[in-house]
Amino acid sequence: MSKVVYEGWMVRYGRWKIYRSYIHMRYFVLEPRLLAYYKKKPQDKQVPIKTMVIDGNCRVEDRGLKMHHGHMVYVLCVYNKKEKHHRVTMAAFNIQEALIWKEKIETAIDEQESRTVNGNKYVSFEFKPGMDNGRTASSSDHESQFSAPEDEDDSHQDLLRRKTIGNGLPDSVLDWTREIGSEMSHQNNNNQGFPIRNWRLHQCQNGLRIFEELLEVDYLPRSCSRAMRAVGVVEATCEEVFQLVMRMDGTRFEWDSSFQDGSLVEEVDGHTAILYHRLQLDWYPMFVWPRDLCYVRYWRRNDDGSYVVLFRSREHENCGPQPGYVRAHVESGGFNISPLKSRNGRPRTQVQHLMQIDLKGWGAGYIPAFQQHCLLHLLNSVAGMREWFAQTDERSALPRIPVMVNMTSASVSSNKAKQNEFTVHPTPSLQTNASGRTSVMMDEYSDEDEEFQEQEEYLTGLEGEVKKEAMEEETVEEIDLSCFSGNLPHVDRDNARDCWRISDGNNFRVRSKHFCYDKSKIPAGKHLMDLVAVDWFKDTKRIDHVARRKGCAAQVASGKGLFSIVINVQVPGSTHYSMVFYFVTKKLEPGSLLQRFVDGDDEFRNSRFKLIPSVPKGSWIVRQSVGSTPCLLGKAVDCNYIRGPNYLEIDVDIGSSTVANGVLGLVIGVITTLVVDMAFLVQANTADELPERLIGAVRVSHIVLSSAIVPNLEAESS
């Protein structure tokens, strides 16, 4: 057996001919002349699903970031330029792992190329400085497996490297990093960040050097300032900085004070996307309207390990002007993330952030200080990034590639959006037809490398899934929610008080189908059960077994042949309070995790009953105390399970835990100022139980203690 060069679990990513994308965890094995993958780690003489011979004609194509049902994966395609349809597409959930595989495969290609050399026909793949006139990027930015010539001239093999990068730089985007690199090569000064004749040091602020462009700007609009660039050093690897820069979620609030909100408008390819971005500028917000941006973002990884992220504004039909915002224009901008020599064993990266922006509006045109202040505000994100890495240990675990909210799901103009082959759809919701499940597609047909049995299983599974979803939607339609009521009002307005509403399942992240392999989590999506009523009770003693109360939602549901899960959150004190949630479904699916939880013993229930809390609105100390980490309630506090006819009641005694009681004491005093989200679910531990699904989720807003009532339980039969 040949020596194994590298092996491990990776993602097989592609699409079926029924136009639905798929991801499978596969075990890849790289040998000196062979790349193969298996369904599981191979033993003895196990036959692989597919193999590919590695020789000097192979190439590694970098396909960038792709989305699949809430996941972002970094995709590589290994193909033979002589046989363009002979390829293997693989992906990873983090960039570091993908880069390791890319390096190992490229090394194997080099070795095979060296062995097949005869006399003067030997051509090394080693990069030669000056080959591309000072370009620091990969010299095959525009090469692809569809454009490479069938019989490639040996004299050009140095230029056509092993790897390719998407469709290349968009025509409208200025690559200012190459201009800097070219100037630096002429000056032969590696320590100088910028050409002296074009840039001067404007000021030093927050540990950053901020440079201003020295060019005539008479041709620019009055509101458009010179380009400015901030330069700083961050103690992190280039990959860590790059992944932080690409994030458009809540993490960005921790280092970028100019960020308010961001969403994905369109994905062009794995390296190019169009984004919508709202700016949080602090210059007299009472008088100056906020700004937003719609721009194209392109990124690439260079041969020296550096990353380039480039911006430029662009109009898009799905991202028109937004009410209450002035649309600013980015003429040029982005990040240049370059590796430096480590110091004291700690990685170091130079981060350059350039912006040339026209903020538009009367403020930018008539008040020069407004433009200058806002531009410095934007550039200072580099200092925030430096401090974020200095003060957090999160990078000890490999960060996942970020997921962004889709613009078409939230924009006021989304109902006018036209879906095309490049559109990235929102996180998939439950649909009843297979044609609507094309949320993410590769720009190629399936390799047809999976076994026929697996295809058959997939199609059967898809049919069963569609039938199951149809049944769920039918169930929702058949349940008449008007017959259920509780004493706490149900109000759907955002600013309502002393009420409840159903919380969107996508606000919570749960274990994905592949959690056992990669610990990944996805938006929870649709609930398994419907929240039909909420009661808010008080008494001088603890309130147990509320489902026996005549006329309650559980009794009404039982009378209609429906099944209920009643969650009674008991709050101790001089006055005992109980908030009771009634979740209803038509029936439990036999053999499902939820059915096994309902009919299991208390030990099993305690090991699986999980709560995901969140405080969207409230003081900082309360949000920090409550957090958003999932908690197994059965292990944290005492839970009493009451299995009645057509219902399961779970009495959760918060007072049984000293820690929970302490947090509760903090919360109860300011409960009228809080908005609290709670999601309940049964934890999935094995592959056949995944992905996790929420029992239900609720948002309670600004609860008033005096609105609780005393329940009448005395006359109820047990």
Side-chain angles (χ1 to χ4, degrees):
M1 183 176 178
S2 300
K3 177 185 176 182
V4 174
V5 177
Y6 197 65
E7 61 181 330
W9 289 100
M10 288 284 282
V11 179
R12 264 288 297 136
Y13 180 38
R15 79 178 188 190
W16 302 92
K17 287 190 176 179
I18 58 173
Y19 301 105
R20 175 177 174 174
S21 64
Y22 65 85
I23 57 175
H24 300 307
M25 295 305 299
R26 295 291 180 256
Y27 197 86
F28 281 76
V29 177
L30 175 64
E31 298 176 2
R33 298 198 62 228
L34 194 71
L35 176 64
Y37 61 86
Y38 306 78
K39 280 191 175 181
K40 58 184 179 180
K41 188 172 182 179
Q43 297 177 354
D44 299 329
K45 296 183 179 180
Q46 183 176 342
V47 178
I49 297 175
K50 185 176 181 179
T51 60
M52 180 175 182
V53 176
I54 300 296
D55 59 27
N57 293 318
C58 291
R59 297 290 183 268
V60 182
E61 182 178 2
D62 175 358
R63 295 199 171 182
L65 305 179
K66 296 286 185 177
M67 182 183 291
H68 174 87
H69 291 199
H71 290 289
M72 291 295 288
V73 291
Y74 191 104
V75 182
L76 302 175
C77 180
V78 186
Y79 67 96
N80 190 306
K81 65 185 179 67
K82 300 293 185 181
E83 302 175 9
K84 299 175 184 178
H85 299 289
H86 188 199
R87 58 186 178 268
V88 171
T89 306
M90 56 197 301
F93 288 107
N94 63 75
I95 291 178
Q96 289 90 333
E97 183 67 18
L99 294 179
I100 291 173
W101 273 98
K102 183 162 66 171
E103 179 183 355
K104 297 292 185 182
I105 297 173
E106 289 173 349
T107 301
I109 296 172
D110 276 344
E111 292 176 353
Q112 294 306 313
E113 176 71 15
S114 300
R115 292 175 183 175
T116 57
V117 168
N118 291 318
N120 294 332
K121 288 199 68 178
Y122 173 78
V123 180
S124 171
F125 279 107
E126 180 180 357
F127 182 76
K128 298 178 181 179
M131 180 69 68
D132 56 356
N133 297 324
R135 284 177 54 185
T136 59
S138 172
S139 53
S140 59
D141 282 4
H142 302 284
E143 179 193 2
S144 75
Q145 59 184 358
F146 304 107
S147 61
E150 185 70 22
D151 294 314
E152 189 178 307
D153 189 346
D154 291 342
S155 63
H156 297 290
Q157 287 187 5
D158 287 22
L159 274 176
L160 295 176
R161 301 291 302 281
R162 293 181 301 274
K163 52 194 173 187
T164 61
I165 299 182
N167 295 325
L169 182 69
D171 294 336
S172 63
V173 178
L174 172 66
D175 190 350
W176 50 269
T177 63
R178 289 181 178 174
E179 294 181 355
I180 296 301
S182 178
E183 294 287 349
M184 289 173 61
S185 64
H186 289 304
Q187 294 181 11
N188 194 25
N189 183 0
N190 293 329
N191 294 323
Q192 177 63 36
F194 312 102
I196 295 176
R197 65 184 181 87
N198 288 336
W199 297 87
R200 72 172 181 184
L201 182 65
H202 175 71
Q203 69 181 62
C204 290
Q205 185 179 63
N206 295 330
L208 305 177
R209 293 185 301 156
I210 298 179
F211 292 81
E212 185 178 42
E213 189 179 22
L214 289 178
L215 293 175
E216 294 295 330
V217 292
D218 294 341
Y219 64 94
L220 292 176
R222 177 166 52 182
S223 58
C224 187
S225 65
R226 291 182 175 91
M228 298 186 74
R229 184 186 282 110
V231 184
V233 176
V234 177
E235 288 192 346
T237 64
C238 288
E239 285 73 23
E240 291 169 342
V241 174
F242 168 72
Q243 291 183 118
L244 191 66
V245 165
M246 297 291 280
R247 296 187 77 100
M248 298 288 278
D249 57 8
T251 305
R252 199 176 185 102
F253 291 113
E254 301 180 23
W255 61 272
D256 186 356
S257 60
S258 66
F259 176 76
Q260 181 182 2
D261 186 50
S263 54
L264 178 65
V265 179
E266 178 183 326
E267 182 186 50
V268 180
D269 59 37
H271 287 264
T272 306
I274 297 176
L275 307 178
Y276 175 70
H277 188 151
R278 288 180 176 175
L279 299 176
Q280 182 72 44
L281 303 177
D282 59 357
W283 203 85
Y284 295 104
M286 293 183 62
F287 303 100
V288 179
W289 278 32
R291 264 55 177 177
D292 65 358
L293 301 166
C294 179
Y295 60 93
V296 58
R297 181 186 70 186
Y298 167 82
W299 71 270
R300 70 170 184 269
R301 184 179 186 271
N302 293 332
D303 290 335
D304 60 357
S306 63
Y307 287 85
V308 171
V309 183
L310 302 173
F311 308 145
R312 189 169 188 181
S313 284
R314 175 179 293 182
E315 295 181 356
H316 194 278
E317 60 180 353
N318 292 349
C319 188
Q322 304 295 302
Y325 287 84
V326 174
R327 180 62 52 86
H329 178 83
V330 176
E331 183 64 27
S332 181
F335 291 86
N336 190 7
I337 304 164
S338 307
L340 298 175
K341 291 182 179 179
S342 61
R343 182 176 295 172
N344 298 325
R346 300 180 66 87
R348 297 166 66 241
T349 296
Q350 183 190 70
V351 180
Q352 305 177 26
H353 183 18
L354 178 141
M355 285 296 289
Q356 184 175 13
I357 186 171
D358 182 355
L359 290 172
K360 303 292 186 180
W362 67 268
Y366 295 96
I367 309 176
F370 168 69
Q371 181 81 17
Q372 183 87 344
H373 174 86
C374 294
L375 190 52
L376 291 175
H377 189 184
L378 294 170
L379 296 178
N380 265 292
S381 62
V382 178
M385 183 190 307
R386 182 192 63 220
E387 295 305 310
W388 189 88
F389 279 108
Q391 298 175 22
T392 183
D393 293 326
E394 286 190 21
R395 56 183 173 162
S396 59
L398 294 178
R400 292 178 55 78
I401 296 171
V403 179
M404 286 188 297
V405 178
N406 191 298
M407 181 71 180
T408 58
S409 65
S411 171
V412 295
S413 59
S414 62
N415 57 340
K416 300 179 182 179
K418 296 181 180 179
Q419 298 179 352
N420 54 49
E421 59 182 274
F422 292 123
T423 302
V424 177
H425 302 271
T427 302
S429 58
L430 296 177
Q431 302 175 15
T432 58
N433 52 52
S435 62
R437 304 180 63 86
T438 56
S439 58
V440 180
M441 293 188 293
M442 291 282 289
D443 51 334
E444 63 171 340
Y445 287 103
S446 169
D447 294 336
E448 294 192 28
D449 53 358
E450 305 296 326
E451 298 169 337
F452 177 78
Q453 179 182 358
E454 185 175 347
Q455 296 186 29
E456 192 174 47
E457 290 174 355
Y458 175 83
L459 294 173
T460 303
L462 176 61
E463 182 181 357
E465 188 177 355
V466 171
K467 289 180 179 178
K468 176 181 175 182
E469 292 168 1
M471 182 187 69
E472 289 175 349
E473 293 189 358
E474 181 183 358
T475 299
V476 173
E477 293 176 0
E478 289 184 357
I479 296 179
D480 182 10
L481 302 182
S482 63
C483 61
F484 300 99
S485 63
N487 71 296
L488 191 67
H490 178 199
V491 182
D492 282 330
R493 296 196 312 273
D494 288 335
N495 58 350
R497 304 180 64 84
D498 198 27
C499 62
W500 68 273
R501 59 185 292 190
I502 296 174
S503 184
D504 186 357
N506 290 324
N507 294 334
F508 306 91
R509 298 187 65 80
V510 297
R511 296 180 175 185
S512 73
K513 184 177 181 180
H514 306 286
F515 181 83
C516 295
Y517 301 109
D518 55 27
K519 305 301 180 185
S520 61
K521 293 190 175 183
I522 59 174
K526 186 178 180 180
H527 308 164
L528 289 172
M529 305 182 71
D530 292 296
L531 178 61
V532 297
V534 176
D535 279 326
W536 180 222
F537 293 147
K538 66 180 179 182
D539 206 340
T540 55
K541 60 182 183 299
R542 194 177 68 186
I543 306 170
D544 297 325
H545 197 183
V546 293
R548 60 191 167 97
R549 186 175 63 92
K550 186 177 180 180
C552 74
Q555 296 290 338
V556 173
S558 180
K560 294 180 174 292
L562 305 175
F563 186 85
S564 305
I565 290 182
V566 181
I567 300 177
N568 177 14
V569 181
Q570 300 170 324
V571 182
S574 56
T575 299
H576 291 260
Y577 292 91
S578 278
M579 184 162 285
V580 187
F581 307 104
Y582 301 90
F583 298 96
V584 173
T585 187
K586 184 178 180 182
K587 65 178 181 178
L588 297 176
E589 183 181 350
S592 66
L593 179 59
L594 183 59
Q595 182 269 322
R596 290 191 287 121
F597 172 79
V598 168
D599 294 329
D601 56 25
D602 287 358
E603 182 179 358
F604 177 77
R605 292 165 175 163
N606 284 333
S607 66
R608 297 299 188 95
F609 185 45
K610 184 190 289 186
L611 165 71
I612 305 177
S614 176
V615 182
K617 184 176 181 180
S619 66
W620 176 85
I621 190 170
V622 172
R623 286 187 281 115
Q624 290 295 111
S625 300
V626 175
S628 58
T629 304
C631 170
L632 285 173
L633 283 178
K635 294 185 177 294
V637 297
D638 291 343
C639 293
N640 184 34
Y641 303 91
I642 305 167
R643 183 66 163 92
N646 286 334
Y647 71 83
L648 171 69
E649 178 173 336
I650 309 173
D651 292 343
V652 183
D653 184 7
I654 303 297
S656 61
S657 167
T658 304
V659 175
N661 217 9
V663 174
L664 184 61
L666 178 67
V667 170
I668 203 73
V670 293
I671 192 171
T672 57
T673 67
L674 301 180
V675 175
V676 180
D677 282 348
M678 290 178 283
F680 302 96
L681 67 155
V682 181
Q683 178 169 288
N685 290 340
T686 61
D688 60 330
E689 295 173 346
L690 293 168
E692 287 182 333
R693 297 284 303 278
L694 298 183
I695 295 173
V698 61
R699 169 171 291 187
V700 290
S701 303
H702 308 289
I703 298 300
V704 178
L705 295 178
S706 60
S707 66
I709 65 173
V710 179
N712 181 16
L713 302 176
E714 298 300 328
E716 311 306 333
S717 59
S718 58

